[in-house]
């Protein structure tokens, strides 16, 4: 089992920056891919960014690739999402998700592929 705990959400203004963190515990060494998803009210949960835990390959949604950066700290079993130039449309609940498999481009963005999920953290960007 892997437990995921997100932190760092909050209320910010458009243009501000925010960093989310996801701490993995339990059998964290078994993780192959960790991703950040977000879900706004009435919308589907979609991938924001993901990272291959051992090789460090990163994946980004087109809407965030020039503004967000995902990174990992293997020593502390933590994945961070640095979010810059935030927009009101970034408002959502952000979820950390993990799976033991190492996903590729064709599979990384499907929520159903991830077995472990955190409880989510709210990010609200005011205009």
């Amino acid at each position: 089992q892997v437990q995921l705990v997100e932190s760092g959400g909050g209320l910010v203004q458009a243009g501000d920056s925010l960093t989310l963190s996801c701490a993995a515990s339990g059998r964290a060494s078994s993780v192959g891919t960790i991703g950040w998803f977000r879900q706004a009210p009435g919308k589907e949960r979609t991938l924001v960014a993901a990272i291959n835990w051992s090789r460090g390959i990163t994946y980004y949604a087109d809407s965030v690739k020039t503004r967000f950066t995902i990174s990992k700290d293997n020593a502390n079993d933590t994945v961070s999402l640095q979010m810059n130039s935030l927009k009101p449309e970034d408002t959502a609940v952000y979820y950390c998700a993990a799976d033991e498999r190492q996903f590729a481009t064709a599979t990384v963005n499907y929520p159903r592929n991830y077995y472990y999920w955190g409880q989510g953290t709210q990010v609200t960007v005011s205009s």
Side-chain angles (χ1 to χ4, degrees):
Q1 289 289 326
V2 177
Q3 293 79 43
L4 303 172
V5 178
E6 304 101 332
S7 61
L11 172 63
V12 297
Q13 293 186 334
D16 284 352
S17 297
L18 199 62
T19 300
L20 305 182
S21 293
C22 174
S25 60
R27 294 183 65 242
S29 60
S30 68
V31 169
T33 305
I34 287 190
W36 283 98
F37 288 79
R38 66 186 181 187
Q39 187 168 21
K43 295 189 177 181
E44 294 184 349
R45 190 172 298 189
T46 59
L47 179 74
V48 177
I51 188 165
N52 181 294
W53 189 247
S54 60
R55 291 182 287 172
I57 300 171
T58 57
Y59 306 86
Y60 293 95
D62 288 341
S63 60
V64 307
K65 63 174 51 177
T66 62
R67 301 183 293 123
F68 292 8
T69 302
I70 189 170
S71 60
K72 62 184 180 71
D73 180 350
N74 291 80
N76 294 304
D77 292 333
T78 301
V79 171
S80 297
L81 183 68
Q82 173 68 39
M83 305 185 294
N84 298 326
S85 302
L86 282 162
K87 304 176 181 180
E89 51 263 44
D90 294 318
T91 295
V93 178
Y94 283 69
Y95 296 92
C96 179
D99 197 88
E100 295 181 0
R101 294 169 289 182
Q102 297 187 33
F103 295 136
T105 303
T107 52
V108 69
N109 58 324
Y110 292 101
R112 64 176 182 266
N113 288 344
Y114 293 76
Y115 189 80
Y116 303 103
W117 288 85
Q119 79 287 354
T121 186
Q122 177 71 46
V123 173
T124 303
V125 184
S126 63
S127 58

